[in-house]
Amino acid sequence: MQVIPTALGDVRLILPKRFGDARGYFVETWNERSYAGHGLERRWVQDNQSLSATPGTVRGLHYQLAPHAQTKLVRVLRGRILDVVVDIRRGSATFGQHVAVELSADGLEQLFVPVGFAHGFCTLEPDTIVAYKVDAFYSPECERAVRWNDPALGIRWPEGAGSVVSGKDAVAPSLAEAADLFLA
């Protein structure tokens, strides 16, 4: 597998090795030993999956606070997404900055999103399925969000982004208004 650093330090793009033959292909989507060898050692406790029927659906920008803060390993099972990660660690040299990468079922890419970063995505195709592992259980009382289209973040969402957004995500605070963030 290939692990590619991003402009946000610990956020990494992972390209698993594909083994193909006449039947199709095989890919290891998680191997504790291989990932640990790249400094990505984690104990995953929950797998999540979402289906978004409409292109332009935005989910995010989500995070959880301690003691249930989550690291995520995100991949696409069907379709394509623009995956976005924002540094929300006050005092970080990259606070408020983001990376945006396209993940697709065909490309098999994964995005490693550590604690201290808000995560969201926009679907680029109909019936897109996204799966991700987390290293802390879902906790409604620790759940937070930053508004996905906060102009201060400068995220270049694709045309049509936000055609479907949850009520909760639509009223999330801007980064400047968010009271509960992380410290670098």
Side-chain angles (χ1 to χ4, degrees):
M1 93 176 142
Q2 186 178 4
V3 178
I4 302 166
T6 69
L8 294 182
D10 292 335
V11 175
R12 313 256 179 78
L13 180 64
I14 299 164
L15 305 176
K17 186 168 173 111
R18 182 188 313 230
F19 300 91
D21 61 23
R23 300 168 294 174
Y25 67 82
F26 171 83
V27 173
E28 283 186 348
T29 60
W30 170 253
N31 179 308
E32 184 177 24
R33 189 175 27 229
S34 296
Y35 280 66
H38 287 279
L40 305 175
E41 188 172 351
R42 286 292 177 276
R43 178 181 165 263
W44 304 114
V45 300
Q46 184 175 317
D47 277 342
N48 301 317
Q49 182 172 314
S50 68
L51 166 70
S52 299
T54 306
T57 298
V58 172
R59 296 178 184 260
L61 301 160
H62 302 147
Y63 60 99
Q64 282 192 177
L65 298 172
H68 302 287
Q70 296 177 323
T71 295
K72 298 176 182 179
L73 183 62
V74 183
R75 65 191 180 109
V76 175
L77 302 179
R78 180 170 57 201
R80 292 181 307 125
I81 63 172
L82 180 68
D83 208 11
V84 177
V85 180
V86 178
D87 186 344
I88 58 169
R89 301 170 298 161
R90 291 189 195 278
S92 164
T94 56
F95 177 74
Q97 295 179 26
H98 72 278
V99 293
V101 296
E102 187 174 302
L103 304 181
S104 70
D106 290 340
L108 303 173
E109 309 90 351
Q110 298 177 335
L111 196 62
F112 182 84
V113 183
V115 168
F117 296 83
H119 171 260
F121 61 86
C122 177
T123 60
L124 302 173
E125 295 182 5
D127 300 320
T128 293
I129 299 175
V130 176
Y132 59 98
K133 298 179 173 310
V134 293
D135 65 352
F137 293 106
Y138 172 68
S139 171
E141 62 276 1
C142 294
E143 178 184 35
R144 300 290 187 277
V146 172
R147 192 169 54 246
W148 68 276
N149 60 352
D150 177 355
L153 298 177
I155 299 168
R156 293 179 52 198
W157 293 99
E159 186 174 332
S163 60
V164 178
V165 178
S166 74
K168 196 167 22 175
D169 288 348
V171 298
S174 67
L175 183 62
E177 298 165 334
D180 298 324
L181 299 175
F182 295 87
L183 295 176

